[in-house]
Amino acid sequence: VHPRPTLATIRATAETVSAGHGPVPAATPEESELILSWLERPETRLVEMSAGWASPVSGAGRFRDLLTKAENAASHQLWSERS
């Protein structure tokens, strides 16, 4: 089946997501992971793109230290509140 008619229908009924705050303003990390896992399937084929597709080498990994500090601070605060 030619994909163009299906794509036209999907676009006509698609949700428009307004940009918000953050490094990925229109999607949650879970949504991004879901799309990435779908794109990596061998049966998935990209029919059309408006720009090149790329996945950053470091991705969110650059925030690992910050996340660890935040988790440690939250854990310490919780421990302090219980004492």
Side-chain angles (χ1 to χ4, degrees):
V1 175
H2 199 279
R4 297 280 177 203
T6 303
L7 291 174
T9 302
I10 291 170
R11 283 187 179 139
T13 59
E15 175 184 6
T16 300
V17 180
S18 301
H21 301 289
V24 184
T28 65
E30 294 81 13
E31 289 171 322
S32 298
E33 284 292 325
L34 185 62
I35 291 169
L36 181 59
S37 69
W38 176 73
L39 286 170
E40 291 175 335
R41 290 181 182 174
E43 69 272 13
T44 299
R45 102 182 134 147
L46 293 175
V47 177
E48 182 178 323
M49 293 177 19
S50 60
W53 180 66
S55 183
V57 172
S58 61
R62 66 182 181 265
F63 298 112
R64 183 173 289 132
D65 291 339
L66 179 61
L67 177 60
T68 301
K69 288 177 185 177
E71 288 173 338
N72 291 339
S75 177
H76 178 71
Q77 182 178 2
L78 183 62
W79 182 82
S80 296
E81 290 174 357
R82 289 183 179 174
S83 299

